Amino acid sequence: MQKLLLFVVLCVAFASCGPQIYKAASFQEVSSAHKVVAIMPFDVLIESRKLPKGVTADMILDQQRDYGYGIQNDVYGYFLRQMSKNRYTVTFQDVHKTNSLLEEAGITYEDLRRASKEQICQLLGVDAVVSGSATMSKPMSDGAAVAVGLLVGAWGPTNSVNTTITIHEGAKGELMWKYDYAASGSIGSSRQSLTNALMRNSSKKFPYQRKS
């Protein structure tokens, strides 16, 4: 019975709309010289109609920042596992090095929204950057669910997540690839499980894969 319940929860958690994919016609030509790619912290927005008692706007901002770096680390971990199987034509810069270089340059999490991808690539010494965004909706009418979500990273029963993952090349900062994914979450959904759902789906179309 417990296994059946878990299966139902997972099905609901990752019910999603069909992805939207863009790939530049010049991608193969441009990417042929790419060796190292950096992964940026994700730009996270938590939509809230009404903050429950005890939850402040600063807490929401902190949560967005924590999730942005958390998703960055999750995506890096996913790519590392695939790299160990020799599935990619590029390597990925360690996210600790990426974040350290950004910090040394005085670029904060909030600054990343305004910084050009060309500037970021030059600063990090990479050929391209993987970045992304996630817009999360919480059931703010249920204060208890929100409070629990902020504390332990679980999402409420009627939320949705719209996520985008992109690749920009470093020479001109042009968009080379974009994958949009929309998922609905459920009680017990975590940041890691939502990131895994994004990567599990987007990896099928990820353009740096070696040809079999």
Side-chain angles (χ1 to χ4, degrees), residues 119-157:
Q119 174 191 2
I120 293 297
C121 285
Q122 291 176 354
L123 171 65
L124 299 177
V126 296
D127 303 305
V129 291
V130 171
S131 60
S133 63
T135 301
M136 303 175 173
S137 299
K138 280 179 174 290
M140 288 299 173
S141 59
D142 186 346
V146 175
V148 170
L150 287 172
L151 291 173
V152 302
W155 295 99

PDB file of all heavy atoms in Angstrom, residues 119-157:
ATOM      1  N   GLN A 119      30.360  38.685 -20.633  1.00  0.00           N
ATOM      2  CA  GLN A 119      31.177  39.142 -19.514  1.00  0.00           C
ATOM      3  C   GLN A 119      31.449  38.011 -18.532  1.00  0.00           C
ATOM      4  O   GLN A 119      32.572  37.842 -18.057  1.00  0.00           O
ATOM      5  CB  GLN A 119      30.464  40.295 -18.795  1.00  0.00           C
ATOM      6  CG  GLN A 119      31.161  40.766 -17.524  1.00  0.00           C
ATOM      7  CD  GLN A 119      30.297  41.719 -16.701  1.00  0.00           C
ATOM      8  OE1 GLN A 119      29.154  42.009 -17.063  1.00  0.00           O
ATOM      9  NE2 GLN A 119      30.856  42.210 -15.605  1.00  0.00           N
ATOM     10  N   ILE A 120      30.407  37.229 -18.234  1.00  0.00           N
ATOM     11  CA  ILE A 120      30.546  36.120 -17.289  1.00  0.00           C
ATOM     12  C   ILE A 120      31.531  35.075 -17.815  1.00  0.00           C
ATOM     13  O   ILE A 120      32.397  34.581 -17.075  1.00  0.00           O
ATOM     14  CB  ILE A 120      29.176  35.478 -17.015  1.00  0.00           C
ATOM     15  CG1 ILE A 120      28.258  36.460 -16.271  1.00  0.00           C
ATOM     16  CG2 ILE A 120      29.332  34.189 -16.222  1.00  0.00           C
ATOM     17  CD1 ILE A 120      28.748  36.851 -14.905  1.00  0.00           C
ATOM     18  N   CYS A 121      31.421  34.727 -19.092  1.00  0.00           N
ATOM     19  CA  CYS A 121      32.315  33.731 -19.678  1.00  0.00           C
ATOM     20  C   CYS A 121      33.771  34.191 -19.615  1.00  0.00           C
ATOM     21  O   CYS A 121      34.672  33.403 -19.301  1.00  0.00           O
ATOM     22  CB  CYS A 121      31.918  33.455 -21.127  1.00  0.00           C
ATOM     23  SG  CYS A 121      30.437  32.436 -21.317  1.00  0.00           S
ATOM     24  N   GLN A 122      34.008  35.452 -19.924  1.00  0.00           N
ATOM     25  CA  GLN A 122      35.370  35.983 -19.880  1.00  0.00           C
ATOM     26  C   GLN A 122      35.919  35.965 -18.459  1.00  0.00           C
ATOM     27  O   GLN A 122      37.083  35.617 -18.231  1.00  0.00           O
ATOM     28  CB  GLN A 122      35.388  37.405 -20.448  1.00  0.00           C
ATOM     29  CG  GLN A 122      35.119  37.469 -21.943  1.00  0.00           C
ATOM     30  CD  GLN A 122      35.039  38.897 -22.465  1.00  0.00           C
ATOM     31  OE1 GLN A 122      35.080  39.858 -21.694  1.00  0.00           O
ATOM     32  NE2 GLN A 122      34.910  39.045 -23.774  1.00  0.00           N
ATOM     33  N   LEU A 123      35.079  36.331 -17.500  1.00  0.00           N
ATOM     34  CA  LEU A 123      35.493  36.350 -16.105  1.00  0.00           C
ATOM     35  C   LEU A 123      35.849  34.951 -15.607  1.00  0.00           C
ATOM     36  O   LEU A 123      36.844  34.760 -14.899  1.00  0.00           O
ATOM     37  CB  LEU A 123      34.374  36.935 -15.246  1.00  0.00           C
ATOM     38  CG  LEU A 123      34.545  36.848 -13.728  1.00  0.00           C
ATOM     39  CD1 LEU A 123      35.737  37.679 -13.280  1.00  0.00           C
ATOM     40  CD2 LEU A 123      33.280  37.294 -13.019  1.00  0.00           C
ATOM     41  N   LEU A 124      35.047  33.962 -16.001  1.00  0.00           N
ATOM     42  CA  LEU A 124      35.230  32.597 -15.524  1.00  0.00           C
ATOM     43  C   LEU A 124      36.255  31.811 -16.344  1.00  0.00           C
ATOM     44  O   LEU A 124      36.675  30.730 -15.927  1.00  0.00           O
ATOM     45  CB  LEU A 124      33.891  31.855 -15.538  1.00  0.00           C
ATOM     46  CG  LEU A 124      32.784  32.441 -14.648  1.00  0.00           C
ATOM     47  CD1 LEU A 124      31.491  31.639 -14.835  1.00  0.00           C
ATOM     48  CD2 LEU A 124      33.210  32.435 -13.180  1.00  0.00           C
ATOM     49  N   GLY A 125      36.633  32.350 -17.507  1.00  0.00           N
ATOM     50  CA  GLY A 125      37.586  31.649 -18.355  1.00  0.00           C
ATOM     51  C   GLY A 125      37.010  30.389 -18.975  1.00  0.00           C
ATOM     52  O   GLY A 125      37.707  29.372 -19.092  1.00  0.00           O
ATOM     53  N   VAL A 126      35.726  30.441 -19.378  1.00  0.00           N
ATOM     54  CA  VAL A 126      35.062  29.272 -19.965  1.00  0.00           C
ATOM     55  C   VAL A 126      34.561  29.609 -21.364  1.00  0.00           C
ATOM     56  O   VAL A 126      34.529  30.770 -21.773  1.00  0.00           O
ATOM     57  CB  VAL A 126      33.876  28.804 -19.082  1.00  0.00           C
ATOM     58  CG1 VAL A 126      34.384  28.340 -17.724  1.00  0.00           C
ATOM     59  CG2 VAL A 126      32.835  29.910 -18.918  1.00  0.00           C
ATOM     60  N   ASP A 127      34.163  28.579 -22.085  1.00  0.00           N
ATOM     61  CA  ASP A 127      33.698  28.752 -23.462  1.00  0.00           C
ATOM     62  C   ASP A 127      32.198  29.024 -23.552  1.00  0.00           C
ATOM     63  O   ASP A 127      31.729  29.575 -24.552  1.00  0.00           O
ATOM     64  CB  ASP A 127      34.031  27.503 -24.281  1.00  0.00           C
ATOM     65  CG  ASP A 127      35.517  27.194 -24.261  1.00  0.00           C
ATOM     66  OD1 ASP A 127      36.309  28.088 -24.623  1.00  0.00           O
ATOM     67  OD2 ASP A 127      35.882  26.073 -23.866  1.00  0.00           O
ATOM     68  N   ALA A 128      31.466  28.624 -22.524  1.00  0.00           N
ATOM     69  CA  ALA A 128      30.011  28.815 -22.524  1.00  0.00           C
ATOM     70  C   ALA A 128      29.502  28.691 -21.093  1.00  0.00           C
ATOM     71  O   ALA A 128      30.223  28.210 -20.215  1.00  0.00           O
ATOM     72  CB  ALA A 128      29.330  27.774 -23.422  1.00  0.00           C
ATOM     73  N   VAL A 129      28.289  29.139 -20.875  1.00  0.00           N
ATOM     74  CA  VAL A 129      27.686  29.013 -19.547  1.00  0.00           C
ATOM     75  C   VAL A 129      26.304  28.372 -19.653  1.00  0.00           C
ATOM     76  O   VAL A 129      25.538  28.660 -20.568  1.00  0.00           O
ATOM     77  CB  VAL A 129      27.561  30.368 -18.812  1.00  0.00           C
ATOM     78  CG1 VAL A 129      28.917  30.902 -18.428  1.00  0.00           C
ATOM     79  CG2 VAL A 129      26.784  31.381 -19.640  1.00  0.00           C
ATOM     80  N   VAL A 130      26.035  27.499 -18.706  1.00  0.00           N
ATOM     81  CA  VAL A 130      24.693  26.957 -18.515  1.00  0.00           C
ATOM     82  C   VAL A 130      24.044  27.778 -17.399  1.00  0.00           C
ATOM     83  O   VAL A 130      24.624  27.945 -16.334  1.00  0.00           O
ATOM     84  CB  VAL A 130      24.730  25.475 -18.103  1.00  0.00           C
ATOM     85  CG1 VAL A 130      23.336  24.991 -17.688  1.00  0.00           C
ATOM     86  CG2 VAL A 130      25.263  24.615 -19.238  1.00  0.00           C
ATOM     87  N   SER A 131      22.880  28.318 -17.659  1.00  0.00           N
ATOM     88  CA  SER A 131      22.156  29.073 -16.637  1.00  0.00           C
ATOM     89  C   SER A 131      20.689  28.687 -16.712  1.00  0.00           C
ATOM     90  O   SER A 131      20.277  27.917 -17.581  1.00  0.00           O
ATOM     91  CB  SER A 131      22.344  30.584 -16.832  1.00  0.00           C
ATOM     92  OG  SER A 131      21.865  30.987 -18.104  1.00  0.00           O
ATOM     93  N   GLY A 132      19.913  29.234 -15.806  1.00  0.00           N
ATOM     94  CA  GLY A 132      18.501  28.873 -15.824  1.00  0.00           C
ATOM     95  C   GLY A 132      17.692  29.690 -14.840  1.00  0.00           C
ATOM     96  O   GLY A 132      18.237  30.494 -14.076  1.00  0.00           O
ATOM     97  N   SER A 133      16.398  29.487 -14.889  1.00  0.00           N
ATOM     98  CA  SER A 133      15.492  30.177 -13.979  1.00  0.00           C
ATOM     99  C   SER A 133      14.412  29.214 -13.527  1.00  0.00           C
ATOM    100  O   SER A 133      14.130  28.210 -14.194  1.00  0.00           O
ATOM    101  CB  SER A 133      14.864  31.396 -14.669  1.00  0.00           C
ATOM    102  OG  SER A 133      14.070  30.983 -15.770  1.00  0.00           O
ATOM    103  N   ALA A 134      13.829  29.525 -12.389  1.00  0.00           N
ATOM    104  CA  ALA A 134      12.734  28.705 -11.860  1.00  0.00           C
ATOM    105  C   ALA A 134      11.735  29.630 -11.180  1.00  0.00           C
ATOM    106  O   ALA A 134      12.104  30.393 -10.282  1.00  0.00           O
ATOM    107  CB  ALA A 134      13.254  27.663 -10.882  1.00  0.00           C
ATOM    108  N   THR A 135      10.496  29.595 -11.637  1.00  0.00           N
ATOM    109  CA  THR A 135       9.422  30.363 -11.016  1.00  0.00           C
ATOM    110  C   THR A 135       8.519  29.398 -10.284  1.00  0.00           C
ATOM    111  O   THR A 135       7.913  28.509 -10.899  1.00  0.00           O
ATOM    112  CB  THR A 135       8.612  31.144 -12.065  1.00  0.00           C
ATOM    113  OG1 THR A 135       9.489  32.036 -12.764  1.00  0.00           O
ATOM    114  CG2 THR A 135       7.505  31.959 -11.402  1.00  0.00           C
ATOM    115  N   MET A 136       8.448  29.541  -8.967  1.00  0.00           N
ATOM    116  CA  MET A 136       7.718  28.605  -8.119  1.00  0.00           C
ATOM    117  C   MET A 136       6.501  29.276  -7.500  1.00  0.00           C
ATOM    118  O   MET A 136       6.611  30.385  -6.968  1.00  0.00           O
ATOM    119  CB  MET A 136       8.636  28.081  -7.013  1.00  0.00           C
ATOM    120  CG  MET A 136       9.894  27.423  -7.537  1.00  0.00           C
ATOM    121  SD  MET A 136      11.032  26.926  -6.217  1.00  0.00           S
ATOM    122  CE  MET A 136      12.265  26.015  -7.165  1.00  0.00           C
ATOM    123  N   SER A 137       5.383  28.602  -7.579  1.00  0.00           N
ATOM    124  CA  SER A 137       4.156  29.112  -6.978  1.00  0.00           C
ATOM    125  C   SER A 137       3.838  28.311  -5.729  1.00  0.00           C
ATOM    126  O   SER A 137       3.808  27.080  -5.757  1.00  0.00           O
ATOM    127  CB  SER A 137       2.987  28.986  -7.964  1.00  0.00           C
ATOM    128  OG  SER A 137       3.239  29.741  -9.128  1.00  0.00           O
ATOM    129  N   LYS A 138       3.622  29.029  -4.640  1.00  0.00           N
ATOM    130  CA  LYS A 138       3.269  28.372  -3.377  1.00  0.00           C
ATOM    131  C   LYS A 138       1.807  28.670  -3.035  1.00  0.00           C
ATOM    132  O   LYS A 138       1.297  29.736  -3.343  1.00  0.00           O
ATOM    133  CB  LYS A 138       4.163  28.879  -2.238  1.00  0.00           C
ATOM    134  CG  LYS A 138       5.539  28.240  -2.175  1.00  0.00           C
ATOM    135  CD  LYS A 138       6.318  28.835  -1.031  1.00  0.00           C
ATOM    136  CE  LYS A 138       7.648  28.118  -0.847  1.00  0.00           C
ATOM    137  NZ  LYS A 138       7.497  26.759  -0.340  1.00  0.00           N
ATOM    138  N   PRO A 139       1.112  27.748  -2.382  1.00  0.00           N
ATOM    139  CA  PRO A 139      -0.272  27.975  -1.960  1.00  0.00           C
ATOM    140  C   PRO A 139      -0.317  28.870  -0.729  1.00  0.00           C
ATOM    141  O   PRO A 139      -0.470  28.403   0.391  1.00  0.00           O
ATOM    142  CB  PRO A 139      -0.771  26.566  -1.656  1.00  0.00           C
ATOM    143  CG  PRO A 139       0.461  25.860  -1.191  1.00  0.00           C
ATOM    144  CD  PRO A 139       1.605  26.432  -1.994  1.00  0.00           C
ATOM    145  N   MET A 140      -0.151  30.166  -0.920  1.00  0.00           N
ATOM    146  CA  MET A 140       0.011  31.070   0.205  1.00  0.00           C
ATOM    147  C   MET A 140      -1.219  31.191   1.102  1.00  0.00           C
ATOM    148  O   MET A 140      -1.147  31.765   2.166  1.00  0.00           O
ATOM    149  CB  MET A 140       0.409  32.459  -0.309  1.00  0.00           C
ATOM    150  CG  MET A 140       1.833  32.501  -0.812  1.00  0.00           C
ATOM    151  SD  MET A 140       3.033  32.109   0.481  1.00  0.00           S
ATOM    152  CE  MET A 140       4.537  32.046  -0.467  1.00  0.00           C
ATOM    153  N   SER A 141      -2.344  30.680   0.653  1.00  0.00           N
ATOM    154  CA  SER A 141      -3.518  30.703   1.514  1.00  0.00           C
ATOM    155  C   SER A 141      -3.370  29.741   2.681  1.00  0.00           C
ATOM    156  O   SER A 141      -4.071  29.817   3.670  1.00  0.00           O
ATOM    157  CB  SER A 141      -4.773  30.349   0.709  1.00  0.00           C
ATOM    158  OG  SER A 141      -4.622  29.070   0.130  1.00  0.00           O
ATOM    159  N   ASP A 142      -2.450  28.807   2.536  1.00  0.00           N
ATOM    160  CA  ASP A 142      -2.194  27.831   3.586  1.00  0.00           C
ATOM    161  C   ASP A 142      -0.888  28.182   4.269  1.00  0.00           C
ATOM    162  O   ASP A 142       0.184  27.737   3.881  1.00  0.00           O
ATOM    163  CB  ASP A 142      -2.128  26.414   2.988  1.00  0.00           C
ATOM    164  CG  ASP A 142      -2.019  25.334   4.052  1.00  0.00           C
ATOM    165  OD1 ASP A 142      -1.728  25.674   5.219  1.00  0.00           O
ATOM    166  OD2 ASP A 142      -2.234  24.161   3.715  1.00  0.00           O
ATOM    167  N   GLY A 143      -0.971  29.019   5.315  1.00  0.00           N
ATOM    168  CA  GLY A 143       0.218  29.509   5.988  1.00  0.00           C
ATOM    169  C   GLY A 143       1.076  28.415   6.558  1.00  0.00           C
ATOM    170  O   GLY A 143       2.301  28.491   6.506  1.00  0.00           O
ATOM    171  N   ALA A 144       0.469  27.388   7.084  1.00  0.00           N
ATOM    172  CA  ALA A 144       1.242  26.312   7.700  1.00  0.00           C
ATOM    173  C   ALA A 144       2.091  25.598   6.661  1.00  0.00           C
ATOM    174  O   ALA A 144       3.264  25.301   6.906  1.00  0.00           O
ATOM    175  CB  ALA A 144       0.301  25.328   8.391  1.00  0.00           C
ATOM    176  N   ALA A 145       1.514  25.338   5.495  1.00  0.00           N
ATOM    177  CA  ALA A 145       2.256  24.637   4.448  1.00  0.00           C
ATOM    178  C   ALA A 145       3.441  25.462   3.984  1.00  0.00           C
ATOM    179  O   ALA A 145       4.525  24.941   3.737  1.00  0.00           O
ATOM    180  CB  ALA A 145       1.332  24.327   3.266  1.00  0.00           C
ATOM    181  N   VAL A 146       3.232  26.774   3.882  1.00  0.00           N
ATOM    182  CA  VAL A 146       4.302  27.648   3.442  1.00  0.00           C
ATOM    183  C   VAL A 146       5.418  27.677   4.470  1.00  0.00           C
ATOM    184  O   VAL A 146       6.599  27.588   4.146  1.00  0.00           O
ATOM    185  CB  VAL A 146       3.782  29.079   3.198  1.00  0.00           C
ATOM    186  CG1 VAL A 146       4.932  30.014   2.855  1.00  0.00           C
ATOM    187  CG2 VAL A 146       2.766  29.080   2.083  1.00  0.00           C
ATOM    188  N   ALA A 147       5.056  27.829   5.733  1.00  0.00           N
ATOM    189  CA  ALA A 147       6.054  27.891   6.795  1.00  0.00           C
ATOM    190  C   ALA A 147       6.899  26.623   6.813  1.00  0.00           C
ATOM    191  O   ALA A 147       8.127  26.680   6.943  1.00  0.00           O
ATOM    192  CB  ALA A 147       5.384  28.101   8.141  1.00  0.00           C
ATOM    193  N   VAL A 148       6.262  25.482   6.649  1.00  0.00           N
ATOM    194  CA  VAL A 148       6.992  24.218   6.610  1.00  0.00           C
ATOM    195  C   VAL A 148       7.894  24.180   5.385  1.00  0.00           C
ATOM    196  O   VAL A 148       9.049  23.759   5.444  1.00  0.00           O
ATOM    197  CB  VAL A 148       6.019  23.019   6.595  1.00  0.00           C
ATOM    198  CG1 VAL A 148       6.778  21.733   6.297  1.00  0.00           C
ATOM    199  CG2 VAL A 148       5.302  22.910   7.925  1.00  0.00           C
ATOM    200  N   GLY A 149       7.377  24.663   4.251  1.00  0.00           N
ATOM    201  CA  GLY A 149       8.166  24.668   3.032  1.00  0.00           C
ATOM    202  C   GLY A 149       9.413  25.508   3.157  1.00  0.00           C
ATOM    203  O   GLY A 149      10.491  25.129   2.712  1.00  0.00           O
ATOM    204  N   LEU A 150       9.294  26.671   3.775  1.00  0.00           N
ATOM    205  CA  LEU A 150      10.448  27.545   3.942  1.00  0.00           C
ATOM    206  C   LEU A 150      11.494  26.920   4.851  1.00  0.00           C
ATOM    207  O   LEU A 150      12.685  27.135   4.690  1.00  0.00           O
ATOM    208  CB  LEU A 150      10.004  28.893   4.524  1.00  0.00           C
ATOM    209  CG  LEU A 150       9.244  29.809   3.560  1.00  0.00           C
ATOM    210  CD1 LEU A 150       8.691  31.011   4.310  1.00  0.00           C
ATOM    211  CD2 LEU A 150      10.143  30.279   2.431  1.00  0.00           C
ATOM    212  N   LEU A 151      11.051  26.130   5.815  1.00  0.00           N
ATOM    213  CA  LEU A 151      11.974  25.562   6.787  1.00  0.00           C
ATOM    214  C   LEU A 151      12.666  24.306   6.278  1.00  0.00           C
ATOM    215  O   LEU A 151      13.850  24.104   6.513  1.00  0.00           O
ATOM    216  CB  LEU A 151      11.237  25.248   8.094  1.00  0.00           C
ATOM    217  CG  LEU A 151      10.766  26.468   8.901  1.00  0.00           C
ATOM    218  CD1 LEU A 151       9.910  26.021  10.075  1.00  0.00           C
ATOM    219  CD2 LEU A 151      11.967  27.263   9.412  1.00  0.00           C
ATOM    220  N   VAL A 152      11.937  23.460   5.602  1.00  0.00           N
ATOM    221  CA  VAL A 152      12.521  22.161   5.228  1.00  0.00           C
ATOM    222  C   VAL A 152      12.628  21.948   3.728  1.00  0.00           C
ATOM    223  O   VAL A 152      13.093  20.913   3.279  1.00  0.00           O
ATOM    224  CB  VAL A 152      11.695  21.006   5.855  1.00  0.00           C
ATOM    225  CG1 VAL A 152      11.636  21.146   7.354  1.00  0.00           C
ATOM    226  CG2 VAL A 152      10.278  20.949   5.280  1.00  0.00           C
ATOM    227  N   GLY A 153      12.195  22.912   2.930  1.00  0.00           N
ATOM    228  CA  GLY A 153      12.361  22.776   1.491  1.00  0.00           C
ATOM    229  C   GLY A 153      11.288  21.951   0.820  1.00  0.00           C
ATOM    230  O   GLY A 153      11.443  21.536  -0.318  1.00  0.00           O
ATOM    231  N   ALA A 154      10.187  21.694   1.501  1.00  0.00           N
ATOM    232  CA  ALA A 154       9.089  20.937   0.891  1.00  0.00           C
ATOM    233  C   ALA A 154       8.075  21.920   0.330  1.00  0.00           C
ATOM    234  O   ALA A 154       7.887  23.001   0.863  1.00  0.00           O
ATOM    235  CB  ALA A 154       8.420  20.038   1.921  1.00  0.00           C
ATOM    236  N   TRP A 155       7.419  21.524  -0.728  1.00  0.00           N
ATOM    237  CA  TRP A 155       6.434  22.400  -1.358  1.00  0.00           C
ATOM    238  C   TRP A 155       5.031  21.963  -0.974  1.00  0.00           C
ATOM    239  O   TRP A 155       4.774  20.799  -0.686  1.00  0.00           O
ATOM    240  CB  TRP A 155       6.609  22.376  -2.878  1.00  0.00           C
ATOM    241  CG  TRP A 155       7.924  22.948  -3.267  1.00  0.00           C
ATOM    242  CD1 TRP A 155       9.058  22.258  -3.586  1.00  0.00           C
ATOM    243  CD2 TRP A 155       8.272  24.323  -3.289  1.00  0.00           C
ATOM    244  NE1 TRP A 155      10.081  23.130  -3.823  1.00  0.00           N
ATOM    245  CE2 TRP A 155       9.633  24.392  -3.656  1.00  0.00           C
ATOM    246  CE3 TRP A 155       7.572  25.500  -3.056  1.00  0.00           C
ATOM    247  CZ2 TRP A 155      10.307  25.600  -3.788  1.00  0.00           C
ATOM    248  CZ3 TRP A 155       8.240  26.702  -3.189  1.00  0.00           C
ATOM    249  CH2 TRP A 155       9.591  26.748  -3.553  1.00  0.00           C
ATOM    250  N   GLY A 156       4.121  22.903  -1.014  1.00  0.00           N
ATOM    251  CA  GLY A 156       2.737  22.627  -0.642  1.00  0.00           C
ATOM    252  C   GLY A 156       2.006  21.816  -1.688  1.00  0.00           C
ATOM    253  O   GLY A 156       2.558  21.471  -2.734  1.00  0.00           O
ATOM    254  N   PRO A 157       0.729  21.514  -1.467  1.00  0.00           N
ATOM    255  CA  PRO A 157       0.015  20.560  -2.304  1.00  0.00           C
ATOM    256  C   PRO A 157      -0.450  21.081  -3.652  1.00  0.00           C
ATOM    257  O   PRO A 157      -0.793  20.305  -4.514  1.00  0.00           O
ATOM    258  CB  PRO A 157      -1.197  20.195  -1.432  1.00  0.00           C
ATOM    259  CG  PRO A 157      -1.400  21.385  -0.562  1.00  0.00           C
ATOM    260  CD  PRO A 157      -0.032  21.914  -0.285  1.00  0.00           C
TER     261      PRO A 157
END
